[in-house]
Amino acid sequence: QVQLVESGGGSVQAGGSLTLSCAASGDKFLRSCTAWFRQAPGKEREAVAAIYAVGGDTYYADSVKGRFTISQDNARNTGYLQMNSLKPEDSAMYYCAAEAFCNEGNWRKPSYLAWGLGTQVTVSS
């Protein structure tokens, strides 16, 4: 089993920054891929970024490229999402997810093995 706990959300003005954390426990193989999704009220869950521990490949949604950075600290079993130049449209509940494998072809699919409960990000204009 894999357990995920997000933290770091909050309220920030447009142009500001936040760093989300995802503390993971459980089978390391089953969480080789860590992803972040977000969901705003009335909208579908959207894939934001993912990182595959084997090789360190990273993937980003076009809407966050150049502004968000996903990383992984394997020693601390923690994943991070550094979010810069935040926009009001980034406001959403952000979820951490884990799976054994991901690549360019499948990282956006919301079929991950494990999910956290989410952390709220609110960006005001």
Side-chain angles (χ1 to χ4, degrees):
Q1 283 189 336
V2 174
Q3 293 80 39
L4 305 171
V5 179
E6 304 95 334
S7 61
S11 297
V12 64
Q13 288 192 326
S17 299
L18 282 173
T19 299
L20 306 183
S21 299
C22 175
S25 60
D27 192 300
K28 283 194 173 183
F29 171 74
L30 294 180
R31 50 183 170 91
S32 295
C33 175
T34 301
W36 289 92
F37 285 73
R38 65 186 181 187
Q39 188 167 21
K43 294 189 177 181
E44 290 188 356
R45 191 166 293 194
E46 172 191 20
V48 176
I51 182 168
Y52 185 46
V54 181
D57 289 344
T58 57
Y59 311 98
Y60 294 95
D62 287 344
S63 58
V64 305
K65 276 182 184 176
R67 299 189 298 122
F68 290 13
T69 303
I70 190 170
S71 62
Q72 183 79 22
D73 185 337
N74 292 322
R76 296 177 182 270
N77 292 314
T78 302
Y80 301 98
L81 185 68
Q82 173 68 43
M83 307 186 294
N84 297 326
S85 302
L86 282 162
K87 304 175 182 180
E89 52 263 43
D90 294 319
S91 296
M93 184 71 79
Y94 282 70
Y95 298 91
C96 177
E99 183 52 87
F101 173 74
C102 59
N103 60 19
E104 179 61 43
N106 70 5
W107 76 273
R108 294 177 182 84
K109 298 178 182 179
S111 56
Y112 284 68
L113 174 71
W115 293 82
L117 296 180
T119 186
Q120 179 69 38
V121 171
T122 302
V123 184
S124 58
S125 58

